[in-house]
Amino acid sequence: MDEASKPTSDAAAQTQWEISAEIGAIGADYGQQLARGAAPEIQPRVDYPPYRSSVLRHPTKSLHHADPETIELFSPAFGHHDVNVLESDLTIQHNGEPQGERIRVQGRVLDGNGRPVAGQLVEIWQANAAGRYIHKRDQHPAPIDPNFTGVGRCITGADGSYAFTTIKPGAYPWKNHLNAWRPAHIHFSLFGTDFTQRIVTQMYFPGDQLFPLDPIYQSIVDQDARDRLVAVYDHEVTSPEWSLGYNWDIVLTGSKRTWTENEALGAEGDDHE
Ligand SMILES: [Fe+2]
């Protein structure tokens, strides 16, 4: 093979251990910052080199400020009657039962003062039990489940509560580096009251062994902020002979807010990562 035809180095050639070393170094540096009295970072770093594509996607210019009232002229409108209560059950969208571990995920949407956020459109999307998205860009060799699409939505109640019945998603590989796997997660979108308020985030499951290895999860360098993305197993939410239960509250503002992807900052949005 002559020099010109050799494959050029690319990010996917890097091993998990090289990525983990980078994650470790950034984490140690953050620990020193905290020890020197720096404020905790509660949002993800948009330029987080172990998450390879973040380096190319993060903004280099200040954000464009939109006029919220102008945006309102173009934003979609929906009413409570537009969202059927059955849309919160992802296990009944086809003729048969999907494969996998049936779960209920419930919680409350709260503002920074702990007040419930009622009437909020909550949308979720996720991989199936085998870690495969229905999305055509997901071509890794895990089976598609004909009885599982992986999308659902609901509107929060007067107490800010939401609940979904679904299947526990599987971990899946992605192309960040060699042998890169995402921890099991469910993508969440909260619409707010207008387009400019929409936020997107991910919910994880407790005890996942992939947490320390995942550059997306680790791009939130603060452990407390990361912990707020992890649901809590709740035996009171578990139904006998039916489903396991998890609780996960979403806090929209304040120092305890849930980490969210800022689409304007070019972080992961509707991508299936
Ligand atoms: Fe995903």
Side-chain angles (χ1 to χ4, degrees), residues 77-87 119 121 153-156:
F78 65 91
H80 286 208
H81 300 295
D82 295 332
V83 178
N84 190 298
V85 66
L86 296 178
E87 293 181 64
L121 177 65
R153 58 182 187 164
C154 71
I155 291 184
T156 58

Side-chain angles (χ1 to χ4, degrees), residues 133 172 182 185 187 202 268 271-273:
Y133 282 95
Y172 59 82
R182 297 287 343 271
H185 59 274
H187 296 267
Q202 300 181 25
E268 181 191 21
D271 211 341
H272 73 262
E273 291 162 1

Side-chain angles (χ1 to χ4, degrees), residues 52-119:
R52 289 292 188 250
S53 60
S54 73
V55 177
L56 296 174
R57 283 194 281 178
H58 83 86
T60 56
K61 297 183 172 60
S62 57
L63 297 177
H64 177 71
H65 294 279
D67 175 1
E69 292 190 6
T70 304
I71 293 281
E72 286 309 280
L73 298 175
F74 306 102
S75 65
F78 65 91
H80 286 208
H81 300 295
D82 295 332
V83 178
N84 190 298
V85 66
L86 296 178
E87 293 181 64
S88 66
D89 189 341
L90 285 71
T91 68
I92 58 170
Q93 297 174 347
H94 300 274
N95 289 331
E97 292 260 4
Q99 297 285 330
E101 184 180 311
R102 191 185 294 111
I103 60 172
R104 178 181 172 88
V105 177
Q106 69 172 41
R108 297 172 74 203
V109 180
L110 304 167
D111 70 16
N113 296 315
R115 290 183 298 238
V117 181

Side-chain angles (χ1 to χ4, degrees), residues 15-26 50 177 212-215:
T15 66
Q16 178 67 57
W17 312 118
E18 289 169 304
I19 296 292
S20 292
E22 293 180 28
I23 289 172
I26 294 170
H177 54 276
L213 306 177
D214 178 38

